[in-house]
Amino acid sequence: MATTAETFDTPVSQDYGSNSLLRLTLRRLFKQRNALIGMVILLFLVLVATFAPIIAPHSPTVDFIGVEGAEKRGDPCIYLLGCSRDKPQHIMGLDGNFRDQFSRLIFGTRVSLFIGFTTIGAAVIVGTLIGSVSGYIGGWFDNIVMRFMDVILAFPSFLLAIAIITVLGRGLQNALYAIAIVNIPVFARLVRASVLSIKEQEYVSASRALGANSFRLLFIRILPNALPPLIVQSTLSIAGAILEAAALSFLGLGAQPPTPEWGTMLGSERNQVFTAPHLVFYPGLAIMFTVLAFNLLGDGLRDALDPRLVQKGSG
Amino acid sequence: MIQYTIRRVLLAIPVLFGILIVTFTIARLIPGDPCTSALGERATAEACAAFNERMGLDEPILVQLGIYMRNILLRGDFGDSIRFSRPVSIMIIERLPVTLELGFSAMFLAIAVGIPAGIISSTRRNSAADVTTMVGANIGVSMPVYWLGLMLAYVFAILLKDTPFVLPNSGRLTAGVIAQPFYEVWGWELMKDTVQFTIAEFFANFVIFNSIITGDWEVLKDAIRHLILPAVALSTIPLSIIARITRSSMLEVLGQDYVRTARAKGLFERAVVIKHAFRNALLPVATVVGLQVGTLFAGAVLTESIFGFAGVGRSLFDAITGRDFPVIQAFTVVIALGYVVVNLIVDISYAFIDPRIQLD
């Protein structure tokens, strides 16, 4: 891998003084404002998720029923912003079940990041297997597999996810399956396209002539070189998956209360938007920031990994 | 070009059959007995047997699939809704116009704002306008549609309550405002349950279209006011994506030699940008517009349920909650077919945008 990158990048190595594709990519990534913003938000979210029990003032599921001064759907109360010191301090207020909204929001970070990484992780593994085998074998097998993928892609993915949940039943776990399934064709097609173009390259023929078997050719020689577009697409797909999972939960099909999932929080208080807008506002904002982070990072990665930009050098 | 069009249409046919097979399979996989969900938990065995026979549920599965395809393709018959005991095709005629009207308005907004924004962004690279557009577009694609919808409803219905900017947040028309169908206004004598009546009814259900052709400006104004918030909410994602793709496609084209030539021969910048650059940057934009139709349908499920629109998306969701299999099947098929047809049209339009394109 390192040697191939070296030979490909010779003209550029003068500009960057680097010889590894990874290092080159990282260097270019850090030069981009958008990607940097994305990485900073993401790092922040990972820290929040990791230290959620320390940051959150209360448990995300314990209610404050009967506590003095606690009101159902109580407004945010912050002493520094003029709220009486005697009242219980809830910086984002209480929800319809007397739970601390801020704590739920903090713990929600864990759920959303978990959803994003697991669903897309699964989709990438299955999609890569299907796409690479299909592209490598070719022929009628490839044809049948790809037509099937076309049919799945003919459905708007969110609707297909809804349909799959109808079969599997509601709940966070089934929502995860549904989102993973609808994302498989995207990766299968992407990997297949890469495999088709890479398997015609001379170094693959050379490796075959040296007696490498199909397994070695596909997984050691071809797939590592199909990685760049895969990385970009996965990052962008994580953004989509988080958005879709939240939307499913909003409709009551995904995570069920009292799970502190942002979409669920938003969905269960949607009818209160006119009386307690803070209960709708903050979860939505949290979803937006998380999705934005992955989108920015994905765009940055795409630019950093784009081979056309390598040839243009730093200009 | 004709050959390209024909071959492209033929290629879409297997996808169409695939869609029917997938929806049929999904509907049959749904757990729970259709009989007890239609007739209630205490339905007797005889009642269930009669029900299954009437619905064709006692036939072998492949025969059921065959009957299902024949009914849809040859007769436009999607079966009867289990919950409402009426033909699903009638429900489609009632509700599809609602979704189409909403979807068209959202797409119109997305194109009308997104393309100019993308062009301006690309011609004034790194200017304040460019940065604002791109920051806006990044936020736009990351925003949950339903959240934006709820927030817009809160701002325009509550915060701006006593100002001229107040907008309604629910339904298609204010209660009491009735849109008279154009065929009644024009005094057409239509028999109920005839093909003519069905077609007329379908077009009359486009409230805006109906009020324009009947000249009912009060209803038109009311309908548009009701449509603004849901259309804006639904349009954000397509708008952002269209603006971004227009910008990047334009940037690529603006760097080409023929653009420099056009500038060198002294053409007005406007002519260079619109005639020479934009026409050549159109292809990726058209592709994205086609793909975003899927986003619109998916967004319709969310937007319609927030703004109380009785459209396809809302009905699909209600059908899923109520285990109304025929309705789920039919509405999924209609949406997927719509998506395929739109993308087929986009594919065919490639040949007109860029005559070099041939199917290989």
Side-chain angles (χ1 to χ4, degrees):
Chain A
M1 181 68 196
T3 43
T4 46
E6 207 169 62
T7 33
F8 281 141
D9 293 337
T10 333
V12 188
S13 57
Q14 296 157 344
D15 294 331
Y16 288 90
S18 158
N19 53 9
S20 135
L21 185 62
L22 179 69
R23 223 191 288 170
L24 190 79
T25 306
L26 281 180
R27 192 167 302 181
R28 285 213 244 127
L29 196 60
F30 278 107
K31 278 188 184 167
Q32 287 174 2
R33 194 182 35 196
N34 279 358
L36 266 179
I37 299 174
M39 281 191 279
V40 169
I41 303 179
L42 200 56
L43 183 70
F44 171 75
L45 291 171
V46 170
L47 288 177
V48 168
T50 316
F51 298 106
I54 300 171
I55 302 169
H58 304 287
S59 154
T61 45
V62 164
D63 58 55
F64 284 80
I65 294 175
V67 174
E68 199 185 331
E71 286 170 38
K72 187 174 186 178
R73 302 203 176 86
D75 286 336
C77 180
I78 308 168
Y79 168 59
L80 292 174
L81 293 181
C83 182
S84 159
R85 193 193 275 269
D86 309 333
K87 291 177 84 179
Q89 304 288 305
H90 297 287
I91 63 176
M92 288 182 188
L94 294 175
D95 71 4
N97 291 304
F98 293 82
R99 290 179 297 227
D100 183 56
Q101 174 86 348
F102 178 63
S103 305
R104 289 176 63 70
L105 208 68
I106 296 291
F107 276 91
T109 318
R110 286 186 166 185
V111 183
S112 280
L113 290 182
F114 173 78
I115 291 171
F117 285 115
T118 47
T119 52
I120 299 307
V124 166
I125 294 171
V126 179
T128 304
L129 275 177
I130 295 176
S132 56
V133 171
S134 179
Y136 188 77
I137 295 178
W140 62 266
F141 178 77
D142 180 43
N143 240 322
I144 290 177
V145 172
M146 282 305 131
R147 288 299 80 76
F148 184 63
M149 295 292 148
D150 282 350
V151 169
I152 296 187
L153 283 172
F155 293 89
S157 68
F158 183 64
L159 291 180
L160 189 60
I162 290 184
I164 294 173
I165 293 179
T166 323
V167 175
L168 298 177
R170 291 154 191 244
L172 181 57
Q173 199 182 348
N174 291 338
L176 295 181
Y177 289 134
I179 293 171
I181 293 172
V182 299
N183 274 293
I184 290 174
V186 178
F187 292 103
R189 275 172 67 143
L190 189 75
V191 171
R192 172 178 173 271
S194 299
V195 168
L196 282 183
S197 72
I198 295 171
K199 79 173 179 181
E200 304 300 331
Q201 304 250 335
E202 282 171 2
Y203 77 92
V204 177
S205 315
S207 187
R208 186 179 289 126
L210 286 171
N213 60 25
S214 291
F215 183 84
R216 188 177 171 79
L217 278 176
L218 185 55
F219 288 95
I220 312 274
R221 295 283 176 243
I222 296 178
L223 273 186
N225 287 294
L227 266 182
L230 199 60
I231 293 171
V232 174
Q233 186 57 49
S234 333
T235 316
L236 294 173
S237 291
I238 290 179
I242 293 176
L243 211 50
E244 273 176 7
L248 288 173
S249 299
F250 173 79
L251 291 175
L253 299 171
Q256 301 296 317
T259 314
E261 207 275 338
W262 294 330
T264 312
M265 291 161 66
L266 230 162
S268 50
E269 301 294 346
R270 57 186 267 198
N271 293 330
Q272 269 63 48
V273 66
F274 296 136
T275 50
H278 59 280
L279 295 180
V280 171
F281 180 70
Y282 292 114
L285 206 62
I287 299 172
M288 194 181 82
F289 266 106
T290 312
V291 175
L292 182 67
F294 283 103
N295 274 332
L296 289 176
L297 184 60
D299 285 344
L301 279 169
R302 172 160 40 203
D303 291 345
L305 287 164
D306 191 344
R308 283 178 300 176
L309 293 177
V310 175
Q311 271 151 26
K312 284 178 198 158
S314 50
Chain B
M1 200 174 285
I2 292 170
Q3 201 187 359
Y4 170 82
T5 309
I6 293 171
R7 289 186 62 185
R8 199 63 200 71
V9 172
L10 289 179
L11 276 175
I13 291 175
V15 177
L16 192 150
F17 278 100
I19 289 173
L20 291 180
I21 294 174
V22 169
T23 42
F24 177 83
T25 314
I26 287 179
R28 284 299 173 279
L29 285 174
I30 295 173
D33 186 359
C35 169
T36 48
S37 63
L39 305 180
E41 289 297 329
R42 296 201 194 138
T44 58
E46 295 87 60
C48 267
F51 174 83
N52 285 344
E53 199 187 328
R54 191 153 46 88
M55 293 286 177
L57 294 172
D58 54 348
E59 302 279 349
I61 198 86
L62 279 178
V63 177
Q64 284 187 38
L65 175 65
I67 294 173
Y68 171 69
M69 285 191 170
R70 188 195 62 197
N71 285 347
I72 289 181
L73 296 175
L74 300 181
R75 301 179 189 165
D77 175 8
F78 286 91
D80 287 354
S81 158
I82 294 176
R83 279 170 78 207
F84 303 106
S85 306
R86 49 198 291 241
V88 181
S89 36
I90 300 289
M91 294 173 68
I92 294 175
I93 288 163
E94 278 172 10
R95 296 178 183 192
L96 192 58
V98 181
T99 305
L100 288 181
E101 204 163 75
L102 178 61
F104 272 127
S105 325
M107 193 46 108
F108 174 76
L109 208 61
I111 293 174
V113 180
I115 290 185
I119 293 179
I120 292 170
S121 229
S122 67
T123 50
R124 302 190 194 148
R125 209 175 166 188
N126 295 327
S127 68
D130 181 24
V131 173
T132 318
T133 308
M134 286 305 109
V135 169
N138 270 320
I139 293 177
V141 283
S142 309
M143 206 153 25
V145 186
Y146 45 94
W147 177 68
L148 180 65
L150 288 169
M151 286 293 123
L152 284 175
Y154 175 66
V155 170
F156 283 93
I158 300 291
L159 293 186
L160 299 176
K161 197 168 189 176
D162 299 316
T163 70
F165 301 107
V166 62
L167 286 171
N169 63 62
S170 177
R172 295 177 82 196
L173 291 171
T174 311
V177 176
I178 290 163
Q180 207 182 6
F182 66 91
Y183 52 83
E184 281 182 15
V185 177
W186 294 348
W188 289 8
E189 301 279 327
L190 292 173
M191 293 286 286
K192 260 191 175 263
D193 299 323
T194 58
V195 177
Q196 289 90 330
F197 179 80
T198 312
I199 295 172
E201 186 70 20
F202 180 77
F203 285 105
N205 280 337
F206 289 90
V207 175
I208 291 183
F209 172 74
N210 186 67
S211 57
I212 290 176
I213 60 171
T214 54
D216 196 340
W217 311 125
E218 282 307 306
V219 173
L220 179 66
K221 201 179 130 196
D222 195 51
I224 290 180
R225 275 167 53 83
H226 277 82
L227 201 59
I228 292 177
L229 294 183
V232 167
L234 192 54
S235 72
T236 41
I237 291 182
L239 195 159
S240 310
I241 293 180
I242 290 172
R244 275 163 56 155
I245 197 81
T246 307
R247 177 179 182 269
S248 65
S249 174
M250 279 293 284
L251 282 179
E252 197 147 302
V253 173
L254 284 172
Q256 301 282 333
D257 288 341
Y258 58 79
V259 171
R260 200 185 320 156
T261 312
R263 282 206 178 110
K265 71 182 187 186
L267 286 182
F268 285 114
E269 187 61 21
R270 204 191 176 84
V272 175
V273 171
I274 304 296
K275 279 193 180 163
H276 293 250
F278 181 64
R279 278 205 61 169
N280 288 293
L282 199 57
L283 205 59
V285 179
T287 312
V288 162
V289 169
L291 291 174
Q292 286 309 308
V293 171
T295 314
L296 283 185
F297 276 126
V301 178
L302 298 158
T303 326
E304 285 177 0
S305 75
I306 286 175
F307 289 99
F309 270 50
V312 170
R314 177 71 190 273
S315 316
L316 179 63
F317 179 70
D318 288 346
I320 288 170
T321 333
R323 293 185 185 287
D324 199 343
F325 301 151
V327 179
I328 300 176
Q329 263 177 321
F331 282 57
T332 317
V333 167
V334 167
I335 290 175
L337 285 187
Y339 191 45
V340 169
V341 168
V342 170
N343 282 295
L344 182 64
I345 294 170
V346 168
D347 269 9
I348 293 171
S349 73
Y350 284 173
F352 290 90
I353 297 172
D354 185 350
R356 285 170 301 182
I357 289 182
Q358 296 289 328
L359 197 72
D360 44 33

